[in-house]
Amino acid sequence: MSDPMAQRPSAGEHAVGPLFEAQAGELIMRVPQGGIDPAWLARPLAQLGLEAGRSFTAVRIESPAEWRWSTPDAAFLARLLAELEASGPKIALRGLPRELEKLLALSRAAPPSAPAESVGPPDVRERVGLLALSRAEDARAFVALLGEVVLFVPRFFAGRARIRRAELIEVLAESSSRALSIVAVVNLLMGAILAFVGAVQLKTFGAGIYVANLVGIASVRELTPILTAIVLAGRTGASFAARIATMQGNEEVDALTTLGVSAVEFLVLPRVLALGLLMPLLYVYGCVFALLGGMVVSMPILDVSATAYVAQTQHAIGGAHFAIGGLKGLVFGGLVALIGCHYGLRAPRSAAGVGSATTSAVVSSIVGIIALDAVFAVCANALNV
């Protein structure tokens, strides 16, 4: 004989007959006409008539012919099996629709989720380590980007690079003509400041004419390529980073990849070549204004003629100074473009990602320019140039 374990609690249309019944080590569950009441999911099984401590080898489901199981039914059965198997062996299921049986088998096969461990904020060593790993990953990605650009350069000069002519013209304009005014102003003021500081000091020794040497060598060899590169880092490099980061957020870079077009070839290559090749021309242009600014300040303070100042400048500046400055301009231009494109391609897909990519590009470009200039200084000193 079967022994009813309990009577079902009243729950509207769900309350029909006993819910659980034990029979020869098997638990019989009779699904009511309306299915499982969702409210039962929050109630202990003991309140629904399942006696605690009983063990069963199988669970048989008896349901009406018109029953169509839904999410509450599956959730209730999964909870029932979990509680029965917590204190005994695995229980067999009988009388279930095939789809529901597969779903319950999948849920029973999943490992129990481990309780979340409370993790405190990282200490100083952990933060330093994470920062070092992040910088190492950035350096690796930058070197990989540099390698890809170098491999695409022969394709560009052979006329086989996949770039748009309109895009190339736009990048050339962005890297040259639109930056002429600010490059001129910055270098003019820099030459004037150098001349003023030098004139005040050298005038006391009667060597005021050597201000031309100071302004000429310092501008041509060091300050003009550095200042021009920094101006382009804040203007053109930031523009490259913002534009590519916006394309990344709009999934345009992914669209290029889907079409089989390399983003490095299509976006990075023209920008690196344009800024790298035009930077030496901007360097010469900036040198003219730097020397002009020094002459404009020196003439009234030192009472020297323009002819004497120009002659002294020509005597002080040699071809080696221009060669070093031009080489710096070439390297600095390529570096600024590469860094801007690098941070643009790695930007998060959000509006905040565009801002962070732009900021990182400008800061990294300035640091890279100063570091490379130090390398140039050491190499020039070792070569006695």
Side-chain angles (χ1 to χ4, degrees), residues 233-292:
R235 187 190 181 283
T236 309
S239 173
F240 290 170
R243 183 169 300 184
I244 295 179
T246 303
M247 295 178 67
Q248 184 82 343
N250 294 336
E251 298 185 353
E252 296 176 50
V253 177
D254 295 337
L256 288 174
T257 305
T258 303
L259 294 173
V261 179
S262 171
V264 176
E265 181 181 10
F266 191 79
L267 299 175
V268 180
L269 181 64
R271 286 168 169 78
V272 172
L273 290 178
L275 194 55
L277 296 177
L278 290 177
M279 182 68 182
L281 301 180
L282 290 174
Y283 156 74
V284 175
Y285 174 79
C287 286
V288 172
F289 281 90
L291 298 177
L292 180 62

Side-chain angles (χ1 to χ4, degrees), residues 73-347:
D73 301 290
F76 184 81
L77 289 172
R79 175 191 169 198
L80 172 65
L81 292 173
E83 293 197 14
L84 291 177
E85 292 177 346
S87 58
K90 193 170 183 179
I91 296 176
L93 275 174
R94 298 169 186 157
L96 283 178
R98 182 178 298 274
E99 294 81 5
L100 181 55
E101 186 175 356
K102 289 181 179 179
L103 181 62
L104 291 175
L106 183 63
S107 68
R108 297 165 77 187
S113 57
E117 298 181 1
S118 58
V119 180
D123 57 11
V124 175
R125 291 177 299 175
E126 187 175 353
R127 288 199 297 268
V128 171
L130 292 175
L131 180 63
L133 291 175
S134 174
R135 293 296 178 265
E137 175 61 22
D138 278 345
R140 185 203 63 78
F142 181 79
V143 172
L145 179 64
L146 174 61
E148 289 187 66
V149 170
V150 170
L151 292 177
F152 281 123
V153 167
R155 291 174 57 89
F156 177 83
F157 287 108
R160 295 185 292 109
R162 288 187 286 185
I163 59 177
R164 291 190 305 167
R165 186 182 298 273
E167 177 82 8
L168 181 60
I169 294 175
E170 174 68 19
V171 172
L172 289 172
E174 184 75 18
S175 306
S176 58
S177 60
R178 297 175 188 171
L180 292 177
S181 58
I182 188 169
V183 170
V185 170
V186 169
N187 283 283
L188 182 70
L189 294 176
M190 182 268 297
I193 293 170
L194 270 180
F196 182 79
V197 174
V200 171
Q201 298 299 322
L202 295 176
K203 190 177 181 181
T204 59
F205 299 100
I209 190 62
Y210 290 105
V211 169
N213 298 56
L214 171 65
V215 175
I217 295 175
S219 301
V220 171
R221 187 170 178 130
E222 293 291 342
L223 295 180
T224 295
I226 291 178
L227 286 181
T228 304
I230 289 176
V231 166
L232 290 180
R235 187 190 181 283
T236 309
S239 173
F240 290 170
R243 183 169 300 184
I244 295 179
T246 303
M247 295 178 67
Q248 184 82 343
N250 294 336
E251 298 185 353
E252 296 176 50
V253 177
D254 295 337
L256 288 174
T257 305
T258 303
L259 294 173
V261 179
S262 171
V264 176
E265 181 181 10
F266 191 79
L267 299 175
V268 180
L269 181 64
R271 286 168 169 78
V272 172
L273 290 178
L275 194 55
L277 296 177
L278 290 177
M279 182 68 182
L281 301 180
L282 290 174
Y283 156 74
V284 175
Y285 174 79
C287 286
V288 172
F289 281 90
L291 298 177
L292 180 62
M295 184 177 68
V296 168
V297 171
S298 299
M299 288 172 60
I301 294 180
L302 300 175
D303 195 21
V304 297
S305 64
T307 304
Y309 186 90
V310 172
Q312 185 66 26
T313 300
Q314 290 176 339
H315 177 72
I317 301 175
H321 299 304
F322 278 105
I324 293 175
L327 181 59
K328 286 182 179 180
L330 176 66
V331 175
F332 291 166
L335 176 69
V336 168
L338 266 177
I339 291 178
C341 295
H342 166 72
Y343 281 104
L345 290 174
R346 292 173 61 84

